[in-house]
């Protein structure tokens, strides 16, 4: 096995709001290998974005990375723990946009409104790579061409508001890819797009990845998108990864009841008209009102009474490599152990 | 019935017992584009341009298309939230004479709006955050003169129960509810006045998958319970296939295909429908890369500056010279109505091959 | 009718998990705004200060030791006297609020009279002292003042005296009335104009909107200071102080309403197409009911916040006009008038206490601004 590119363990990102603590990310473990596409799925509010932002240390205040490690194997061979870096320091800034780049659902969060596309991309290139203005401009044209922007020389002079939604998304991807990052974090980049545009952007990301050999951490809530692009999948629920497996196992051999429930509740093309969908009952609890034991137990159809509501499941690695946090798959443990002691 | 016959609208399908509830003929909604201080009109946004369809009692008709193609505007025109600039809209109550919605006076319009209701896409902006849910749901009961005083409260509590919320919540404010619960409140408001037609404008699009499934199920149960007819506007074809009996596909303000869900999904006849279906991601990694995918190049046509001929021709892979000059008319092809010159000759790919 | 619902629906009903009642769930807009404001300590403190200032304005006659015209020529330019509460005699310390009287020195060089507090001579003062008569709240005749010398002829100048021997403290307190009310009334007038014209503009739209917007643009394009100066200078000399007062208010609100009207119009425009307003229309509500029930409550809090920020601007405008001598004039006392009287080089050097009304302006303007900022933040309790 090659060395992983990014290893996250026990990551916690908490928000202290008016005396209460919102555990947006609460002990996440995740591995991204070079060149691999990892999909992070989960319903809104489960902490996907905060987890992604924690990697680049751009969690909005009052949020803070409070525990855990984010080990990035840098190009130089050095391993840095991003969680231990100063979020405003020089080291993280040399990583952001250079080795790890991010794209967002709303392109305007990444693209400044008052600068042309061209100057934003050339600025980014010059910030990280020691090249002349002219060379940077050529690279900008090249990267715009690569993301399929028609007439790239002219688009260099365009302002973001002059572009359509799909083109803006391409411009943002071009900006993110301008320094050839080794890891691209994509936070729901296609959620606001039409399916037709989404399909084109997904193709684009896939092609670019094959071409440039970068790894992609792709965040989405759409299992269809996951099936289209993922190599491996991490399913999040209330700030934790509850199942992590190869994409085929997630769809054909899911272990966690939440994953199974999600799969049953998505409408699929090709089903007969009027066929019933299964639903997961209830709704996602508030992150500051986390249920005891397994936090999914109030909605779980396979809940073991007296156990799931008391014991907090730990991460279990199954023989085929799947990792799951569920008592159904955990070797039997001392039942009376207090939940806190298990962490 | 006689009205429909008189208007010469072709009834698709074989069932003669189907009675129309909403009949739309040649509907146009054009928004003027104005410039300058004097608001000179310099152009038209043809948001909806000459579309005709019938919604039959008891069915769910889906309306799909990319964003900006005029779905919302169509739905809103049916209730005259936006004023149509042309065409004819007829609402036929179960017992009583058909009402011409476009020329309806104040009282008639109010009657239409009581019988035909709307569920909005965004559960946050469609509920006034400053009113408790009891007042939001009871508003229609009060102002449509259906109930008074304590009776309103009883009916609201009953409505809350029907949509799966606890009647004790009646005095809570919208911010105390999750997105899915707010959508239930929106549905309760629509149904409180006992309508028979509901326009669901992307009613589940803003919801999470697990909540979306709950709301879809609720909508179905309520349909049987209240004997409703739905116009279901959406852009997620999997959802549409799941809930609709018939589907209408819109592109750039025009209807390009309409017909029974089953046959549209299995054998689409319009190249745009084929492309839409092909773009839907399949939630199964094993079908990844199987079959040829149709990718639409370019952008959705600009409705203020439509391409000549078939508005879809710049993106269509089957387009010929004829498509650039001649506008195809909606015409029957098999079970469907299609607006494409080559609808009979093209063999397009549906989703049958993916059926599990 | 359809009562089997109770049996069917639970399938989709969200299972209540750990159902906790929060008071927020039952809180309406104003309660939420109040809670949010309550978390902003600066705004809350400023609010208290503003409240106190307005109380001072209302009870000025009672709080001020003297009327604004009371003078003792002997004590022209007398410096402030510190107030002490205890006197020492053989038996030890005794509670006796007092100030020290002055001895007068004549400067041998400049022949200028200077006052030095005389530690020997005590002027006893008392709370709720009898003094000049006035009508409390304009109705109750009384002569009780919060603080006053026991003997009305004795000097008591806690903020010092001006060139006629008038008590600066009393005049500052009396000035509160005019200065604070001119802001309030001016803004009230702007508000009426702003809401009516802005509302019409936003609601009717079309040509009416265009017309009102052009008028607003025209008014806003005129430089304010020259406009005010021109108009203020045009006020006939023969007008009574009361007439001048109202004229000045009208002049100030002539510009003030435009920005409020813009804001109201903006809110109207934005809200008219909100889904909940459409939903209300479908629910059969008439336009007037929609305005009253949905639109006005949605922007009222924002308007209140803007108004709070508009008042200090008015106060400053009045001060500026009066200071350059074309606003209010004596015998009216406002902070601007007081500062205008302090306006000569001699007072800067020898009687700096004449600028104490300036401190009152700073305190009131700052606290109004802080309160207004806090209100703006709290005005939409539903944002993230
Ligand atoms: N600025 C913030 N203040 C307080 N809590 C926040 C903030 N931003 C996010 N959160 C909390 O963090 C949780 C996770 O948010 P997020 O990562 O954005 O979810 P996702 O991307 O999965 O939809 C949310 O439940 C939210 O309550
Ligand atoms: N009030 C309006 N004024 C001008 N143009 C409008 C208005 N409402 C909608 N449009 C335009 O009409 C077109 C159709 O919009 P809409 O019906 O909302 O599409 P959809 O619901 O299919 O996304 C869009 O191009 C939109 O910009
Ligand atoms: S008419 Fe021509 S351009 Fe339009 S969909 Fe058919 S083949 Fe394509
Ligand atoms: Mg997110
Ligand atoms: Mg829409």
């Amino acid at each position: 096995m090659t060395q992983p590119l990014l290893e996250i363990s026990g990551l916690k990102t908490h928000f202290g709001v008016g005396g209460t603590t919102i555990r947006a990310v609460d002990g996440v473990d995740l591995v991204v290998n070079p060149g691999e596409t990892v999909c992070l799925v989960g319903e809104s509010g489960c902490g996907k974005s905060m987890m992604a932002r924690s990697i680049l240390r751009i969690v909005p205040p009052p949020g803070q990375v409070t525990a855990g490690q984010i080990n990035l194997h840098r190009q130089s061979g050095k391993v840095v723990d991003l969680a231990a870096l100063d979020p405003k320091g020089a080291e993280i800034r040399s990583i952001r946009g250079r080795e790890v780049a991010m794209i967002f659902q709303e392109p305007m969060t990444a693209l400044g409104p008052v600068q042309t596309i061209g100057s934003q991309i050339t600025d980014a290139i010059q910030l990280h790579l020691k090249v002349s203005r002219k060379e940077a401009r050529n690279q900008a044209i090249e990267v715009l061409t690569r993301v399929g922007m028609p007439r790239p020389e002219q688009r260099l002079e365009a302002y973001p508001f002059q572009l359509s939604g799909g083109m803006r998304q391409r411009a943002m991807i071009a900006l993110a890819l301008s320094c050839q990052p080794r890891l691209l974090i994509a936070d729901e980049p296609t959620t606001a797009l039409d399916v037709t545009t989404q399909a084109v952007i997904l193709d684009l990301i896939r092609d670019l990845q094959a071409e440039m050999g970068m790894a992609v951490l792709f965040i989405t809530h759409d299992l269809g998108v996951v099936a289209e692009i993922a190599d491996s999948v991490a399913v999040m629920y209330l700030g934790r990864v509850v199942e992590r497996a190869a994409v085929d196992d997630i769809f054909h051999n899911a272990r966690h009841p939440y994953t199974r429930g999600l799969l049953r509740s998505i409408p699929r093309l090709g089903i007969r008209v009027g066929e019933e969908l299964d639903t997961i009952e209830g709704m996602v609890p508030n992150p500051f009102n986390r249920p005891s034991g397994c936090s999914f137990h109030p909605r779980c159809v396979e809940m073991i009474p007296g156990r799931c509501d008391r014991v907090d499941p730990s991460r279990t690695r199954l023989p085929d490599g799947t990792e799951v946090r569920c008592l159904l798959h955990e070797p039997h443990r001392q039942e009376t152990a207090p939940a806190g002691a298990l962490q | 019935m006689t009205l429909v016959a008189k208007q010469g609208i072709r009834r698709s399908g074989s069932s003669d017992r189907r009675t129309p509830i909403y009949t739309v003929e040649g509907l146009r909604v054009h928004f003027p584009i104005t410039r300058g201080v004097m608001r000179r009109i310099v152009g038209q946004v043809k948001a909806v341009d000459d579309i005709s369809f019938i919604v039959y009692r008891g069915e769910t008709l889906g309306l799909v298309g990319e964003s900006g193609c005029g779905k919302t505007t169509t739905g809103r025109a049916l209730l005259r939230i936006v004023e149509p600039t042309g065409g004819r809209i007829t609402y036929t109550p179960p017992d009583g004479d058909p009402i011409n919605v476009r020329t309806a006076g104040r009282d008639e319009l109010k009657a239409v709006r009581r019988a035909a209701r709307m569920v909005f896409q965004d559960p946050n902006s469609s509920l006034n955050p400053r009113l408790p849910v009891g007042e939001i749901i009871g508003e229609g009961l009060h102002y449509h003169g259906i109930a008074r005083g304590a009776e309103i409260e009883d009916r609201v509590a009953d409505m809350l129960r029907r949509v799966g919320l606890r009647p004790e919540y009646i005095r809570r404010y919208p911010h105390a509810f999750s997105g899915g619960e707010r959508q239930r409140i929106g549905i309760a408001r629509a149904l409180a006045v006992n309508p028979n037609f509901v326009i669901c404008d992307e009613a589940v699009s803003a919801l999470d998958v697990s909540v979306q499934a709950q709301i879809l199920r609720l909508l179905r149960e309520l349909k049987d319970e209240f004997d409703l007819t739905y116009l279901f506007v959406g852009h997620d074809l999997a959802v549409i296939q799941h809930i609709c009996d018939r589907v209408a596909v819109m592109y750039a303000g025009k209807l390009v295909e309409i017909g029974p869900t089953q046959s549209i999904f299995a054998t689409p006849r319009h190249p745009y429908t084929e492309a839409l279906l092909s773009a839907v991601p399949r939630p199964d990694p094993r079908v990844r890369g199987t079959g040829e995918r149709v990718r639409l190049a370019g952008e959705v046509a600009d409705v203020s500056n439509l391409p000549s001929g078939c508005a879809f021709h710049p993106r269509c892979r089957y387009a010929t010279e004829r498509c650039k000059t001649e506008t195809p008319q909606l015409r029957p092809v098999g079970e469907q109505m299609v607006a494409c010159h080559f609808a009979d000759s093209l063999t397009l790919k549906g989703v049958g091959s993916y059926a599990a | 009718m359809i009562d089997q619902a109770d049996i069917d629906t639970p399938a989709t009903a969200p299972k209540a998990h750990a159902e906790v009642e929060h008071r927020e769930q039952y809180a309406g807009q104003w309660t939420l705004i109040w809670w949010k404001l309550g978390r902003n300590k600066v705004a809350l403190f400023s609010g208290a200060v503003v409240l106190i200032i307005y109380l001072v304005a209302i009870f000025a006659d009672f709080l001020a030791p003297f009327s604004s015209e009371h003078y003792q020529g002997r004590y022209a330019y007398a410096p402030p006297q510190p107030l002490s509460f205890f006197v020492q005699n053989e038996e030890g310390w005794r509670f006796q609020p007092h100030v020290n009287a002055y001895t007068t020195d004549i400067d041998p060089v400049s022949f200028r009279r200077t006052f030095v507090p005389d530690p020997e001579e005590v002027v006893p003062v008392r709370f709720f002292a009898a003094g000049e008569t006035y009508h409390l709240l304009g109705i109750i005749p009384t002569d009780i003042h919060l603080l006053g010398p026991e003997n009305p002829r004795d000097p008591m100048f806690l903020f010092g005296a001006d060139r006629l021997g008038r008590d600066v403290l009393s005049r500052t307190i009396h000035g509160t009335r005019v200065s604070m009310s001119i802001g309030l009334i001016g803004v009230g007038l702007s508000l009426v104009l702003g809401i009516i014209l802005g509302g019409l503009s936003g609601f009717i739209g079309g040509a009416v909107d265009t017309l009102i917007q052009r008028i607003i643009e025209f008014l806003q394009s005129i430089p304010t200071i020259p406009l005010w100066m021109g108009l203020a200078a045009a006020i006939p000399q023969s007008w009574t102080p009361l007439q001048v007062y109202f004229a000045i208010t009208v002049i100030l609100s002539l510009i003030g309403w435009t920005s409020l009207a813009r804001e109201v119009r903006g809110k109207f425009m934005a809200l008219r197409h909100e889904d909940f307003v459409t939903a209300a229309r479908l629910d059969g509500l008439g336009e007037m009911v929609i305005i009253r029930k949905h639109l006005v409550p949605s922007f009222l809090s924002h308007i209140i916040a803007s108004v709070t920020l508009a008042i200090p601007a008015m106060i400053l405008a009045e001060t500026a006009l009066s200071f350059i001598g074309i606003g209010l004039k004596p015998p009216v006392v406002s902070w601007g008038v007081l500062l205008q009287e302090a306006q000569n080089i001699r007072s800067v050097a020898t009687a700096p206490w004449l600028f104490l009304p300036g401190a009152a302006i700073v305190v009131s303007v700052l606290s109004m601004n802080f309160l207004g900022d806090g209100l703006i933040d709290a005005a939409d309790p539903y944002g993230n």
Side-chain angles (χ1 to χ4, degrees):
Chain A
M1 269 282 289
T2 50
Q3 269 217 327
L5 176 63
L6 183 76
E7 277 174 295
I8 300 174
S9 55
L11 176 69
K12 295 190 179 188
T13 302
H14 291 178
F15 286 83
V17 181
T20 55
T21 302
I22 296 176
R23 302 152 158 216
V25 179
D26 201 28
V28 160
D29 307 302
L30 194 70
V31 176
V32 182
N33 291 309
E36 183 191 35
T37 302
V38 177
C39 271
L40 197 59
V41 270
E43 294 177 273
S44 60
C46 72
K48 304 183 295 295
S49 296
M50 290 312 133
M51 139 93 209
R53 286 169 169 267
S54 303
I55 298 173
L56 284 178
R57 306 300 307 280
I58 47 170
V59 178
Q64 265 185 328
V65 175
T66 53
Q69 291 182 322
I70 307 172
N71 286 326
L72 176 73
H73 293 253
R74 293 199 66 172
Q75 212 144 22
S76 54
K78 204 175 112 193
V79 180
V80 276
D81 179 7
L82 303 183
L85 294 183
D86 171 12
K88 293 193 185 72
E91 178 143 28
I92 190 84
R93 277 189 284 127
S94 73
I95 292 171
R96 265 182 221 149
R98 174 72 189 92
E99 283 184 56
V100 183
M102 187 158 174
I103 59 179
F104 302 86
Q105 175 174 342
E106 181 38 65
M108 295 309 268
T109 54
L111 297 173
V114 294
Q115 251 186 311
T116 62
I117 304 288
S119 73
Q120 297 191 41
I121 297 178
T122 42
D123 281 356
I125 293 173
Q126 285 198 302
L127 178 70
H128 292 296
L129 310 175
K130 300 279 160 278
V131 293
S132 69
R133 190 84 194 156
K134 193 159 182 315
E135 172 59 25
R137 199 183 130 88
N138 287 340
Q139 289 189 12
I141 294 176
E142 194 190 312
V143 72
L144 282 175
T145 315
R146 232 183 205 177
V147 298
M149 181 85 77
R151 290 175 288 121
E153 286 92 350
Q154 280 146 343
R155 292 297 161 93
L156 282 181
E157 311 306 326
Y159 289 90
F161 71 88
Q162 294 169 324
L163 303 179
S164 71
M167 284 302 146
R168 244 181 249 168
Q169 213 74 19
R170 283 171 199 255
M172 179 175 63
I173 294 174
L175 179 63
L177 298 186
S178 57
C179 294
Q180 311 213 342
R182 296 166 67 225
L183 173 63
L184 175 71
I185 302 175
D187 189 358
E188 313 225 16
T190 60
T191 301
L193 303 175
D194 280 311
V195 271
T196 47
T197 320
Q198 165 173 285
V200 175
I201 297 286
L202 289 182
D203 285 349
L204 175 69
I205 291 178
R206 214 173 5 210
D207 293 347
L208 288 169
Q209 181 186 17
E211 203 178 307
M212 302 169 60
M214 65 184 173
V216 177
L217 178 60
F218 195 101
I219 298 173
T220 178
H221 65 264
D222 185 340
L223 285 163
V225 172
V226 174
E228 295 268 331
I229 64 163
D231 295 321
S232 74
V233 182
V235 181
M236 270 186 92
Y237 187 75
L238 269 190
R240 292 205 179 151
V241 172
V242 294
E243 181 162 7
R244 188 148 69 85
V247 64
D248 197 69
D249 286 332
I250 288 285
F251 284 88
H252 293 286
N253 190 16
R255 313 295 170 76
H256 199 284
Y258 177 62
T259 315
R260 290 187 222 160
L262 275 185
L263 284 168
R264 278 195 305 266
S265 64
I266 43 171
R268 289 160 192 263
L269 275 189
I271 56 163
R272 296 186 58 79
V273 176
E275 208 165 284
E276 272 299 343
L277 292 178
D278 267 332
T279 58
I280 303 178
E281 282 191 27
M283 51 197 172
V284 183
N286 267 328
F288 49 80
N289 189 18
R290 179 189 294 278
S292 62
C294 168
S295 50
F296 185 59
H297 87 260
R299 306 175 72 192
C300 181
V301 284
E302 296 171 67
M303 197 262 275
I304 314 164
R307 195 163 141 74
C308 292
D309 49 355
R310 286 208 211 126
V311 186
D312 191 359
S314 61
R315 184 158 56 112
T316 311
R317 198 181 167 87
L318 303 178
D320 63 355
T322 296
E323 284 179 359
V324 58
R325 265 180 194 271
C326 171
L327 293 169
L328 295 172
H329 301 280
E330 198 164 316
H332 210 63
R333 292 184 306 178
Q334 195 87 42
E335 287 199 12
T336 47
L342 292 167
Q343 272 305 296
Chain B
M1 287 297 273
T2 50
L3 178 96
V4 179
K6 200 168 66 203
Q7 290 165 353
I9 285 206
R10 227 192 84 96
R11 233 177 284 125
S12 68
S14 53
S15 164
D16 273 25
R17 281 161 299 149
R18 295 201 291 176
T19 43
I21 184 162
Y22 246 97
T23 310
V24 178
E25 297 156 83
L27 175 67
R28 281 196 173 82
V29 185
H30 294 184
F31 298 104
I33 307 171
T34 56
R35 283 275 149 70
V37 179
M38 299 317 291
R39 297 171 193 271
R40 198 162 39 90
I41 295 174
V42 294
Q44 300 280 340
V45 177
K46 298 183 174 174
V48 176
D49 197 28
D50 188 14
I51 67 175
S52 306
F53 61 90
I54 301 176
V55 190
Y56 294 101
R57 187 166 300 286
E59 75 169 346
T60 300
L61 175 64
L63 197 55
V64 289
E66 287 164 289
S67 60
C69 71
K71 308 181 294 293
T72 297
T73 308
T74 304
R76 293 186 170 219
L78 296 193
L79 299 181
R80 289 237 328 253
I81 299 169
V82 295
E83 286 294 335
T85 49
R88 191 185 174 96
I89 302 169
T90 314
Y91 165 69
T92 316
D95 40 14
D97 295 328
I99 301 173
N100 182 338
V101 178
R102 262 197 84 195
T103 56
R106 220 176 121 245
D107 292 341
E108 256 182 336
L109 186 60
K110 206 167 162 178
V112 171
R113 286 177 174 178
R114 179 182 156 177
R117 305 282 291 171
M118 186 142 195
V119 178
F120 296 84
Q121 169 171 8
D122 183 353
N124 299 316
S125 75
S126 61
L127 305 178
N128 187 344
R130 291 163 182 84
L131 296 178
V133 301
E135 210 160 308
I136 292 173
I137 299 173
E139 209 163 50
L141 289 169
H142 181 262
Y143 289 94
H144 278 300
I146 296 168
R148 289 255 165 261
E151 198 196 336
I152 293 185
E153 190 147 319
D154 290 345
R155 292 185 64 155
V156 169
D158 183 46
M159 220 41 243
L160 280 173
R161 218 175 304 122
R162 296 255 169 97
V163 298
L165 294 174
R166 309 211 322 216
E168 299 91 288
Y169 292 169
I170 194 164
R171 261 171 260 291
R172 288 193 184 179
Y173 285 83
H175 63 256
F177 297 89
S178 69
E181 290 174 316
R182 284 184 213 177
Q183 203 55 306
R184 286 172 194 266
I185 295 168
I187 293 170
R189 168 176 58 199
L191 299 190
V193 298
N194 216 347
N196 47 49
F197 179 66
V198 180
I199 299 169
C200 303
D201 188 358
E202 312 252 8
V204 297
S205 302
L207 305 176
D208 270 314
V209 263
S210 73
V211 182
Q212 173 176 299
Q214 292 171 355
I215 299 293
L216 283 174
R217 179 188 281 200
L218 175 71
L219 284 172
R220 267 193 134 114
E221 286 169 359
L222 292 169
K223 178 168 186 273
D224 294 342
E225 194 181 321
F226 287 79
D227 210 1
L228 296 171
T229 305
Y230 287 144
L231 177 64
F232 194 92
V233 176
H235 64 261
D236 184 338
L237 284 137
V239 170
I240 293 282
Q241 188 191 23
H242 174 72
I243 195 159
C244 298
D245 305 309
R246 288 194 310 137
V247 187
V249 184
M250 281 184 81
Y251 185 77
K254 287 199 157 60
L255 218 54
V256 295
E257 184 161 11
I258 179 168
T261 309
Q262 207 68 283
S263 69
I264 290 225
F265 278 65
T267 54
R269 304 242 182 227
H270 196 284
Y272 179 62
T273 314
E274 180 194 39
L276 269 186
L277 287 171
S278 172
V280 179
R282 309 292 194 279
D284 182 354
R286 290 183 188 170
V287 305
R288 192 192 288 180
T290 63
E292 185 202 2
R293 286 303 179 76
V294 185
R295 291 288 182 257
L296 279 184
E299 304 283 324
V300 185
D302 176 2
V303 283
S304 59
N305 184 20
L306 284 176
S308 62
C310 171
F312 185 57
H313 86 253
R315 303 172 82 191
C316 179
R317 52 182 192 158
Y318 308 106
T320 64
E321 275 309 309
R322 184 179 168 202
C323 304
K324 292 181 190 160
T325 50
E326 196 183 323
T327 309
Q329 298 301 317
L330 200 65
R331 63 200 167 93
V333 180
E335 278 189 283
Q336 291 136 248
M337 304 268 288
V338 191
C340 170
H341 296 309
F342 307 110
D344 338 62
S345 53
L346 292 173
T347 322
L348 305 178
K349 222 155 63 65
V351 291
S353 47
Y354 296 104
Chain C
M1 224 166 59
I2 328 161
D3 257 344
Q4 85 282 19
D6 292 8
I7 317 150
D8 302 349
T9 40
T12 57
K15 191 159 64 183
H17 149 69
E19 192 53 58
V20 264
E21 295 273 308
H22 289 292
R23 57 179 193 153
E24 281 84 4
Q25 293 168 332
Y26 298 95
Q29 155 170 240
W30 299 109
T31 322
L32 289 175
I33 290 179
W34 175 240
W35 285 342
K36 194 164 174 192
L37 190 66
R39 287 198 290 274
N40 183 343
K41 297 290 177 266
V42 176
L44 218 54
F45 178 77
S46 305
V49 173
V50 170
L51 194 70
I52 291 171
I53 294 174
Y54 274 109
L55 285 176
V56 168
I58 293 170
F59 295 105
D61 301 309
F62 166 70
L63 295 171
F66 309 103
S67 74
S68 58
E69 292 314 312
H70 178 270
Y71 68 95
Q72 288 170 291
R74 285 194 293 144
Y75 295 107
Y77 293 121
Q81 299 159 302
L83 180 65
S84 327
F85 289 97
F86 295 94
V87 288
Q88 196 182 22
N89 56 14
E90 315 74 64
E91 299 142 43
W93 291 97
R94 184 169 61 88
F95 179 71
Q96 167 62 69
H98 67 276
V99 293
N100 293 99
Y102 300 102
T103 55
T104 323
D105 280 345
I106 305 286
D107 188 314
V109 183
S110 67
F111 297 105
R112 196 191 290 152
R113 238 180 346 162
T114 57
F115 295 92
V116 184
D118 175 1
E120 299 302 310
E121 197 189 340
V122 163
V123 175
V125 304
R126 69 149 75 138
F127 289 98
F128 304 108
E132 293 156 274
T133 55
Y134 61 96
H135 288 81
L136 186 65
L137 299 173
I139 30 180
I140 309 161
T142 174
D143 63 353
I144 305 295
H145 295 258
L146 178 66
L147 190 68
E150 278 185 2
N151 178 355
R153 306 190 57 84
D154 281 344
M156 186 188 86
F157 299 105
L158 300 180
F159 275 22
D162 68 2
R163 77 193 146 85
L164 298 177
R166 293 176 297 198
D167 179 24
V168 175
L169 173 64
S170 300
R171 287 172 65 78
T172 306
I173 291 177
H174 286 290
T176 308
R177 256 193 191 163
V178 170
S179 290
M180 296 302 282
S181 68
I182 213 160
L184 211 56
I185 295 176
V187 165
L189 219 59
S190 309
L191 194 61
V192 172
L193 280 173
I195 287 189
I196 292 178
L197 291 174
L200 282 178
S201 193
F203 195 73
I204 300 177
V208 176
D209 181 36
T210 313
L211 181 71
I212 294 177
Q213 290 314 304
R214 295 299 95 77
I215 293 176
I216 289 179
E217 276 156 23
F218 173 70
L219 285 176
Q220 287 189 339
S221 68
I222 307 174
T224 12
I225 298 284
L227 176 72
W228 283 341
M229 287 174 68
L231 288 171
I235 296 175
Q237 292 292 327
S238 56
W239 282 18
T240 64
L242 195 68
Q243 283 174 320
V244 175
Y245 172 86
F246 279 112
I248 295 284
T249 327
V250 170
I251 291 170
L252 293 182
S253 43
L254 204 61
I255 300 297
W257 72 272
T258 55
S259 52
L260 275 172
R262 283 240 153 134
E263 195 172 334
V264 172
R265 168 180 180 264
K267 295 277 179 219
F268 254 100
M269 294 247 171
L271 287 166
R272 269 179 74 182
H273 298 293
E274 281 280 326
D275 281 346
F276 71 80
V277 175
T278 304
R281 206 163 280 141
L282 295 179
D283 275 341
L285 279 71
E287 294 302 321
M288 280 303 142
V289 184
I290 289 178
I291 293 181
R292 179 170 55 75
K293 201 171 162 192
H294 290 278
L295 298 186
V296 172
S298 301
F299 64 68
L300 199 57
S301 57
H302 296 269
I303 297 299
I304 291 175
S306 324
V307 160
T308 316
L309 285 175
I311 294 176
M314 293 258 172
I315 294 176
L316 287 175
E318 180 276 325
T319 309
L321 285 186
S322 303
F323 185 75
I324 54 180
I326 54 175
L328 300 173
K329 295 195 181 67
V332 174
V333 273
S334 77
W335 293 336
V337 171
L338 292 179
L339 285 182
Q340 198 266 329
E341 290 182 347
Q343 217 196 103
N344 61 62
I345 209 69
R346 197 178 151 206
S347 14
V348 180
T350 63
W353 54 88
L354 290 183
F355 290 100
L356 278 170
I361 295 174
V362 171
V363 169
S364 61
V365 167
L366 275 184
S367 48
M368 285 237 170
N369 276 334
F370 284 138
L371 175 65
D373 286 342
L375 283 172
I376 293 233
D377 287 342
D380 185 7
Y382 304 105
N384 308 313

